[in-house]
Amino acid sequence: LFKLKEKILKAIATKYKNKLLELYKKYENRTINSTYVKKELFDIKNRQIKNTCLSILSRLETQDIHDLIKEQYNSSENFSDKMAAFSLYLKSSAKDKLDLLNKEQIKAEKNLVHYETFLNIVGLNESSDSIEIIKQVEKSKAFKIEQTNSTRALYSTFASNKHKSLLTEEGLDYLTDILIKLSKVNEYVSVQIINKIFGKIDFLEKIDQVRIVKSIMELFKTLDKNKTPSVYNTVERLLNNSKKAVKSYKISAGKRV
């Protein structure tokens, strides 16, 4: 479904590029003279339309669109507009996007709310190098795995991006590594991720069930029932309740069910 959605959006961007650019420009600077509340509501709707147009256009991955996204990031005084552009640029194939990442990270680390938003965008990033980017960000001194807000913003959002974290080998390996580290310092967030991401693996294709149960087993082997009881019990309950997935794993491993 994700791939189909991207294909449809790219087709729309290709066919209606000029119209989308026209709409983007139209809603870029629209405003009204009214009360504060009405003006804010008007501006919010304009930004939603404008950023939707920019998001669709970003599927083209052309230099002129990269320039347009970067221009919005650099010139916008509105935080949501700036973050929308940052997210799209990070997802793109632009050659200088890591420079923009570093620039934004330096600013974000000075403000807790800004930093949490920054981590959330990095965690949700869907680019081909998204995991490398996350690994780069988590090496920063500002990122502390013990802080729930930071781990939820970066790790939980990455985990929620299931077509990346659950259905690709690279993503699943990284998610497993995250949970192995996180379970030792933050059981609360670890249990949230496990329940949310692995809770319905019986409904997946058998080939995915095998990969996922294998990763869960790798995590389970690292857990100490006495030191991390919440995570241990959650994983044990998950395996007991995911009968179809565990059966697929055992058959694949050549074990008797």
Side-chain angles (χ1 to χ4, degrees):
L1 287 175
F2 172 79
K3 291 179 180 178
L4 179 60
K5 183 193 79 171
E6 290 298 306
K7 188 175 182 179
I8 291 171
L9 289 174
K10 186 172 183 179
I12 293 172
T14 301
K15 186 172 182 178
Y16 298 106
K17 178 180 179 181
N18 291 335
K19 183 62 177 178
L20 288 165
L21 285 169
E22 181 183 325
L23 285 171
Y24 176 84
K25 294 297 182 183
K26 177 181 177 180
Y27 286 92
E28 186 176 18
N29 297 308
R30 289 185 76 197
T31 188
I32 58 171
N33 291 318
S34 186
T35 63
Y36 175 79
V37 174
K38 287 184 178 180
K39 186 177 183 302
E40 284 297 303
L41 290 173
F42 183 83
D43 290 344
I44 288 171
K45 290 180 180 179
N46 283 334
R47 287 196 297 272
Q48 288 175 335
I49 295 172
K50 180 185 69 173
N51 288 323
T52 297
C53 291
L54 192 61
S55 176
I56 296 172
L57 286 166
S58 71
R59 269 70 182 186
L60 296 175
E61 291 285 12
T62 55
Q63 186 60 51
D64 61 328
I65 300 302
H66 289 168
D67 291 342
L68 184 62
I69 297 171
K70 193 173 182 180
E71 180 185 351
Q72 176 170 309
Y73 172 84
N74 288 326
S75 63
S76 178
E77 296 181 0
N78 180 273
F79 185 72
S80 62
D81 273 359
K82 188 178 284 289
M83 291 301 96
F86 171 64
S87 177
L88 292 175
Y89 209 71
L90 195 63
K91 180 183 175 182
S92 76
S93 59
K95 294 180 181 179
D96 64 338
K97 71 175 184 179
L98 294 183
D99 294 333
L100 192 69
L101 172 72
N102 294 331
K103 176 182 177 181
E104 182 60 29
Q105 183 171 354
I106 291 171
K107 290 191 295 183
E109 289 176 353
K110 297 175 182 178
N111 180 284
L112 291 177
V113 175
H114 189 169
Y115 187 57
E116 191 170 332
T117 301
F118 168 81
L119 292 176
N120 190 273
I121 289 172
V122 171
L124 287 174
N125 179 32
E126 296 171 345
S127 65
S128 59
D129 56 349
S130 60
I131 293 176
E132 287 78 4
I133 290 174
I134 294 175
K135 288 180 178 179
Q136 176 181 325
V137 168
E138 69 180 351
K139 289 178 182 178
S140 167
K141 292 181 180 179
F143 181 78
K144 294 178 173 58
I145 195 171
E146 299 85 2
Q147 294 182 349
T148 298
N149 287 350
S150 294
T151 52
R152 185 184 288 133
L154 186 63
Y155 292 150
S156 295
T157 51
F158 166 75
S160 297
N161 197 4
K162 293 182 182 180
H163 73 88
K164 174 77 72 171
S165 65
L166 201 63
L167 301 180
T168 67
E169 288 190 21
E170 182 186 25
L172 185 58
D173 288 345
Y174 181 58
L175 179 60
T176 305
D177 290 341
I178 286 174
L179 289 170
I180 289 172
K181 292 187 297 183
L182 191 59
S183 62
K184 294 177 174 62
V185 294
N186 196 323
E187 285 197 88
Y188 177 72
V189 177
S190 298
V191 168
Q192 278 190 323
I193 292 175
I194 292 166
N195 283 331
K196 184 176 182 180
I197 307 307
F198 298 127
K200 296 183 178 180
I201 57 175
D202 268 357
F203 296 95
L204 297 176
E205 297 290 337
K206 288 184 179 180
I207 188 172
D208 293 318
Q209 290 176 347
V210 172
R211 293 188 308 101
I212 293 167
V213 172
K214 181 181 178 182
S215 292
I216 295 172
M217 293 296 291
E218 289 176 5
L219 168 63
F220 195 50
K221 290 175 183 177
T222 69
L223 300 175
D224 187 311
K225 187 174 184 179
N226 295 317
K227 294 180 179 179
T228 57
S230 295
V231 181
Y232 184 95
N233 291 333
T234 298
V235 174
E236 186 176 47
R237 183 172 61 253
L238 173 71
L239 290 170
N240 288 335
N241 292 338
S242 303
K243 299 186 184 302
K244 291 182 180 179
V246 171
K247 181 178 179 179
S248 297
Y249 168 74
K250 288 182 176 179
I251 291 174
S252 176
K255 298 178 181 179
R256 189 175 67 180
V257 180

